[in-house]
Amino acid sequence: MIRLIGYFFGVGIVLALLVAAGIALYIGDLTKDLPDYEVLAKYEPPVTTRVHASDGALMAEFARERRLYLPIQAVPDRVKAAFLSAEDKNFYKHPGIDVTGLARAVVTNVRNLGSGRRPVGASTITQQVAKNFLLTSDQTMQRKIKEMVLSFRIEQAYSKDRILELYLNEIFFGLGAYGIAGAALTYFDKSVNELTLEEAAYLAALPKGPSNYHPFRHTERAIERRNWVIDQMVENGYATAEEGEKAKNTGLNVSPRRRGTYLFAGEYFTEEVRRDIISRYGEDALYEGGLSVRTTLDPQMQLYARKALHNGLLRYDTLRGYRGPVTQIDVSGDWGAALGEVDGLSDVPEWNVAVVLGTEDSKISIGLKPEREVSGALSEERTTGTIALEDMKWAMRHVVDGKRLKAERQSDVLKPGDVIFVEKKADTDRAWTLRQVPEVEGALVAMDPHTGRVLAMVGGFSYAESEFNRATQAYRQPGSAFKPVVYAAALDNGYTPASVVLDAPISVQVGNDVWEPKNYGGKFAGPSTLRAGIERSRNLMTVRLAKDMGMPLVADYAEHFGIYDKMLPVLAMSLGSGETTVMRMVSAYAVMANGGKQIVPSLIDRIQDRYGKTVYKHDRRECVGCVASEWTNQEEPEIINDREQVLDPMTAYQITSMMEGVVKRGTATSIAELGRPIAGKTGTTNDEKDAWFVGYTPDLVVGVFMGFDTPRPMGRGSTGGGLAAPIFKEFMGNALKDMRPVDFQVPEGMNIIPIDRKTGMRAESGQPGVIMEAFKPGTGPADSYWVIGMEDLEGMGGPRVVSPQANRAVNSGAGGLY
């Protein structure tokens, strides 16, 4: 008997060994091509790129997976506890597989055979890391075995904290969020350190099935799962019973973080930065690289720019009447639902969408678009208000079938069911003002002339209405705003501000045609100094000056200034008939403002990679000695500026001084009310299709443009001085209100000489009509009166010496000036 028992025992041992060998061979064959777990050491997940303003304020985030990588040391203990309680309470004890949990899952699955229920898993956090990083999500026994083997290997190669760090940064939480840091921001708009017990528990509940515990679609199920996690935390000693009960009695309070831009009024700027990064590094770097981008944007200056441009566009638009409602809806029933489907302007929060409910002789009754709840559903509350006649007076001139008519009553303009834009009046509860999105568009750019840093940029009235950036993408004719380049080229090549050019009719043969340019207003002034020519924006003088110099020279300067890549050297281009952008014009004026140094405009100060290494820096100037640890009587460090000198510093001052005259005596005198040194130039194109003003102080250059997207006349009198200059003035008034006025610096060696402002001849200071003019060393007022272009006057031969009295005689019959 004993022998028989021994026999069966031996057979059993052999069979067991054979089974074990078979299992070992099967597992060995199954795992011989397992992924290399050592790749976890080089884990670089897709990380969100974040864009910041110059003061550090968050502007935007770009990501395919909204993830911010967080080292395990930065994760609060309570947040770790929530995930351990929800997923793997024995994580710090098991070797990669929780045998007890696995046995429990096997028993449960055996009981559920035939029930149709989904098998219960028993994956540890380590196993989930193995699956998420190295395997597929197939529900097969083969994958499970591979997962277990990899878990043992991972546990041997990495610390528990490292494995938990990988897990917390990789898992998907729903709503596009990956990783615990991204989830905290996405669901609660908080950092991980700010999460409460119930918030951490809810996030820990999500990895099991984010869609199953959606905060709005499956709220009750989400709360139930969250409360289970809280109970587990209490049971495991991570929270007291009192804390647990208090947390369970709290709602989910999910407040999703909005996408897109976060800095108000920064949409056009942000989009331009996005395109810049893609052009430099590609889309993968932007959406997965985890870059930290510090831009040049000054948030306060950006607000001033937006407000000034808005006011200017609305000022023009309201003078041309009301064009009708956005759309119409039925108001016989619940108007709120229909109104809720009408899109407003997300980046113009001052305006609300409303519907006209009724019209009376003295007021219009309106209903306001209902607010949306956090879940996205429309509020049931209905808010109403009124529009008084005085708050829509501008609309009493309304456009009907393309004709502007004057309405007798408010009801002639607005009718029940009209969907409109309204703005709430200050210090009132129910009074509103009628608004409409302007047809005319514009742009404003503000730049530091010494570095090229773009401090503010607005590319249109509303980014939500149109993403087209008129500051960088719209190519428009600058008109007379181009003239300073012509005059700067002249001053750099032998002419002086006191040089005299004939302002009189001129004919230019262009092929088989004759071009006859005219001054704005059609009048002329006879022989005049270059200063007078630019102050009064005289087209005929500019054409003669360009003709005398030669257009190839003007084209060369325009290209060096960056206005055009390749300029056609024809005379019409001297009057700004070529097309360029506001950004390019501002960059060109920056050259004149900074003493002639070429600048490269930039919206980005610095870019760092995910590890904090600087991969791009705009300011490449060197400063030897700036990093000294202490002062030992050494010389003050000097920043070496090696940018190309494209204009003589003395020429830059001369043209600046002449453009100061534009503000003091010329076509932009309204700006002189700011009471500080400002140089600038207006620009108006043929038929008033484009209106410009570009100007600067010693430390700030600003360009403004107005015009219809599809160029068409804006109306007689719609000049740069009348439309663009007031926008510039409002912006500068706000941007510089806390800064003391600074004079433009006169270069050393420059001679300041009194001259007669009409003849350009030397004069006695203090006399009427005398102006102080800047001359380069070796130059000065002409000893004899010389007029460029005198050959164009009938019977006067070529350029010649004439008397100042003859000049005055020509001037006396010239008529008015623009």
Side-chain angles (χ1 to χ4, degrees):
M1 186 67 183
I2 295 175
R3 181 177 296 177
L4 186 62
I5 292 172
Y7 172 78
F8 282 114
F9 179 76
V11 171
I13 291 294
V14 171
L15 290 174
L17 289 173
L18 289 173
V19 170
I23 292 173
L25 289 171
Y26 173 74
I27 293 176
D29 182 67
L30 196 64
T31 60
K32 65 181 179 181
D33 295 322
L34 278 179
D36 184 4
Y37 60 88
E38 293 183 359
V39 299
L40 299 180
K42 301 176 182 178
Y43 174 57
E44 288 189 353
V47 180
T48 300
T49 287
R50 310 186 89 189
V51 179
H52 300 267
S54 61
D55 65 352
L58 181 63
M59 292 176 61
E61 295 175 321
F62 298 102
R64 294 193 179 107
E65 298 179 3
R66 302 180 75 184
R67 176 190 284 110
L68 298 173
Y69 195 88
L70 202 63
I72 193 64
Q73 295 83 358
V75 181
D77 290 339
R78 177 157 284 184
V79 174
K80 296 179 193 174
F83 283 87
L84 295 177
S85 298
E87 297 291 330
D88 189 0
K89 68 178 181 180
N90 295 320
F91 173 70
Y92 280 96
K93 298 177 182 177
H94 63 65
I97 297 175
D98 188 346
V99 178
T100 304
L102 182 61
R104 190 186 309 114
V106 170
V107 172
T108 301
N109 289 333
V110 170
R111 288 177 180 172
N112 292 340
L113 283 175
S115 66
R117 295 181 181 179
R118 185 177 177 178
V120 175
S123 293
T124 63
I125 285 177
T126 310
Q127 287 176 271
Q128 292 184 58
V129 167
K131 180 185 71 174
N132 292 337
F133 285 85
L134 305 172
L135 301 171
T136 67
S137 297
D138 297 337
Q139 297 289 328
T140 62
M141 183 61 69
Q142 290 87 346
R143 195 270 297 166
K144 201 68 178 177
I145 293 172
K146 291 180 180 180
E147 180 184 292
M148 292 179 180
V149 173
L150 281 172
S151 296
F152 283 122
R153 294 179 180 178
I154 289 171
E155 288 274 354
Q156 293 172 353
Y158 303 101
S159 69
K160 287 285 188 180
D161 280 348
R162 173 60 176 167
I163 296 170
L164 184 58
E165 178 182 299
L166 293 171
Y167 171 77
L168 290 176
N169 282 286
E170 176 66 17
I171 48 178
F172 177 57
F173 286 87
L175 299 186
Y178 290 78
I180 182 60
L185 286 171
T186 299
Y187 281 88
F188 299 107
D189 201 10
K190 291 181 176 181
S191 69
V192 174
N193 290 323
E194 297 173 307
L195 293 175
T196 62
L197 172 61
E198 59 271 17
E199 290 167 347
Y202 175 61
L203 294 182
L206 288 171
K208 189 68 71 177
S211 60
N212 296 332
Y213 307 113
H214 193 280
F216 305 122
R217 290 198 291 265
H218 305 296
T219 306
E220 292 184 6
R221 193 188 301 169
I223 291 176
E224 181 182 349
R225 173 69 179 173
R226 180 205 66 179
N227 289 350
W228 177 84
V229 175
I230 293 173
D231 288 338
Q232 293 298 305
M233 293 179 70
V234 172
E235 181 181 322
N236 295 330
Y238 297 124
T240 65
E242 292 77 15
E243 289 174 327
E245 285 303 314
K246 182 180 178 181
K248 289 196 293 182
N249 290 328
T250 304
L252 289 179
N253 297 328
V254 169
S255 177
R257 183 182 181 89
R258 71 183 183 93
R259 295 172 183 248
T261 59
Y262 302 110
L263 189 69
F264 178 59
E267 293 84 2
Y268 284 108
F269 199 105
T270 299
E271 174 59 18
E272 196 67 24
V273 169
R274 187 191 72 86
R275 287 197 292 263
D276 190 346
I277 296 174
I278 289 176
S279 68
R280 291 175 187 273
Y281 307 112
E283 288 194 6
D284 288 345
L286 175 67
Y287 292 106
E288 299 180 0
L291 303 175
S292 176
V293 183
R294 180 62 64 95
T295 71
T296 60
L297 181 73
D298 182 317
Q300 186 60 60
M301 205 171 282
Q302 182 72 12
L303 292 178
Y304 292 146
R306 172 189 179 271
K307 185 64 175 174
L309 185 64
H310 273 207
N311 288 345
L313 297 179
L314 291 173
R315 190 162 48 241
Y316 172 89
D317 189 69
T318 54
L319 290 174
R320 279 142 187 86
Y322 180 63
R323 295 184 300 277
V326 177
T327 186
Q328 288 188 315
I329 62 172
D330 182 7
V331 292
S332 60
D334 180 11
W335 48 266
L339 188 59
E341 298 304 314
V342 179
D343 292 331
L345 298 178
S346 58
D347 56 345
V348 189
E350 307 96 316
W351 291 11
N352 285 45
V353 177
V355 63
V356 177
L357 300 177
T359 59
E360 302 174 19
D361 290 339
S362 60
K363 64 182 180 180
I364 299 289
S365 299
I366 60 172
L368 280 303
K369 180 178 178 178
E371 298 287 340
R372 287 199 177 274
E373 309 287 357
V374 174
S375 63
L378 283 174
S379 169
E380 296 295 326
E381 184 179 353
R382 301 290 179 261
T383 304
T384 60
T386 60
I387 303 175
L389 175 60
E390 64 179 15
D391 296 321
M392 58 172 289
K393 226 172 207 180
W394 64 270
M396 300 305 283
R397 289 197 305 169
H398 61 139
V399 180
V400 179
D401 297 329
K403 297 180 180 179
R404 190 178 301 120
L405 305 177
K406 183 169 178 57
E408 297 295 330
R409 298 174 300 275
Q410 288 174 281
S411 57
D412 294 336
V413 180
L414 297 177
K415 294 177 174 55
D418 284 355
V419 176
I420 57 177
F421 284 110
V422 294
E423 182 175 5
K424 194 170 188 179
K425 294 188 69 176
D427 303 323
T428 61
D429 292 328
R430 300 183 70 247
W432 298 78
T433 299
L434 178 65
R435 295 296 189 201
Q436 75 176 354
V437 178
E439 276 190 316
V440 72
E441 278 290 358
L444 186 153
V445 173
M447 179 187 293
D448 179 343
H450 305 292
T451 62
R453 298 176 69 246
V454 178
L455 306 175
M457 179 178 66
V458 186
F461 181 80
S462 166
Y463 184 80
E465 179 78 6
S466 169
E467 297 181 8
F468 183 65
N469 190 337
R470 290 122 189 123
T472 59
Q473 294 176 301
Y475 279 78
R476 307 296 292 242
Q477 293 181 347
S480 296
F482 178 76
K483 290 176 182 175
V485 177
V486 179
Y487 284 81
L491 295 171
D492 222 28
N493 288 275
Y495 299 79
T496 76
S499 296
V500 179
V501 179
L502 179 64
D503 182 20
I506 184 173
S507 297
V508 180
Q509 191 73 31
V510 182
N512 295 325
D513 298 321
V514 176
W515 177 50
E516 295 183 345
K518 290 180 173 55
N519 288 330
Y520 190 91
K523 298 179 180 179
F524 50 91
S528 304
T529 63
L530 294 194
R531 173 179 286 278
I534 200 168
E535 287 182 359
R536 297 293 181 175
S537 196
R538 294 173 181 164
N539 295 337
L540 298 172
M541 284 184 63
T542 306
V543 171
R544 274 196 176 83
L545 181 63
K547 182 182 178 184
D548 193 62
M549 282 189 293
M551 279 304 296
L553 180 65
V554 176
D556 184 59
Y557 273 78
E559 292 165 14
H560 274 85
F561 279 38
I563 295 178
Y564 305 112
D565 292 329
K566 186 68 176 176
M567 175 176 153
L568 193 64
V570 296
L571 279 175
M573 295 290 283
S574 68
L575 300 182
S577 62
E579 294 180 339
T580 188
T581 67
V582 179
M583 182 69 78
R584 283 177 172 244
M585 288 298 293
V586 171
S587 300
Y589 275 62
V591 172
M592 293 178 269
N594 69 24
K597 289 280 188 180
Q598 189 175 55
I599 61 101
V600 177
S602 178
L603 281 69
I604 299 173
D605 275 337
R606 183 201 67 211
I607 301 175
Q608 293 174 301
D609 64 17
R610 67 172 70 204
Y611 303 109
K613 179 183 177 182
T614 298
V615 294
Y616 168 80
K617 187 171 68 171
H618 170 65
D619 192 347
R620 300 184 179 278
R621 293 177 299 172
E622 295 183 5
C623 181
V624 179
C626 283
V627 294
S629 58
E630 60 181 6
W631 184 65
T632 55
N633 297 313
Q634 67 265 44
E635 291 291 328
E636 183 177 331
E638 180 180 351
I639 298 177
I640 301 174
N641 189 345
D642 58 356
R643 296 199 308 269
E644 182 184 358
Q645 191 81 37
V646 297
L647 189 67
D648 186 296
M650 292 188 175
T651 299
Y653 177 77
Q654 286 178 315
I655 193 65
T656 295
S657 175
M658 290 164 66
M659 284 196 285
E660 278 191 277
V662 173
V663 173
K664 293 176 181 177
R665 295 173 295 275
T667 57
T669 52
S670 63
I671 293 173
E673 297 172 11
L674 291 174
R676 61 174 65 238
I678 293 177
K681 184 69 186 72
T682 54
T684 309
T685 61
N686 287 344
D687 300 322
E688 290 88 9
K689 292 179 181 178
D690 305 84
W692 293 72
F693 186 83
V694 189
Y696 53 91
T697 67
D699 298 309
L700 184 64
V701 186
V702 177
V704 177
F705 154 78
M706 269 186 66
F708 293 103
D709 282 345
T710 300
R712 69 174 193 261
M714 292 186 287
R716 188 63 180 170
S718 298
T719 63
L723 297 182
I727 298 173
F728 175 93
K729 177 184 174 183
E730 180 181 341
F731 171 76
M732 280 296 206
N734 287 318
L736 303 177
K737 62 184 177 182
D738 296 325
M739 303 179 189
R740 65 179 181 83
V742 178
D743 290 320
F744 291 103
Q745 187 174 358
V746 182
E748 187 176 348
M750 186 74 80
N751 298 318
I752 308 299
I753 301 173
I755 66 167
D756 185 305
R757 60 188 303 265
K758 289 186 177 180
T759 67
M761 305 289 286
R762 190 183 296 269
E764 294 293 329
S765 59
Q767 298 298 316
V770 173
I771 188 171
M772 303 302 294
E773 196 61 86
F775 293 89
K776 299 176 185 177
T779 68
D783 295 328
S784 57
Y785 192 63
W786 180 274
V787 180
I788 298 169
M790 220 40 197
E791 72 275 14
D792 293 326
L793 284 183
E794 186 178 351
M796 282 219 171
R800 59 192 300 182
V801 177
V802 297
S803 69
Q805 290 75 18
N807 174 41
R808 293 191 183 97
V810 174
N811 277 326
S812 65
L817 302 175
Y818 165 61

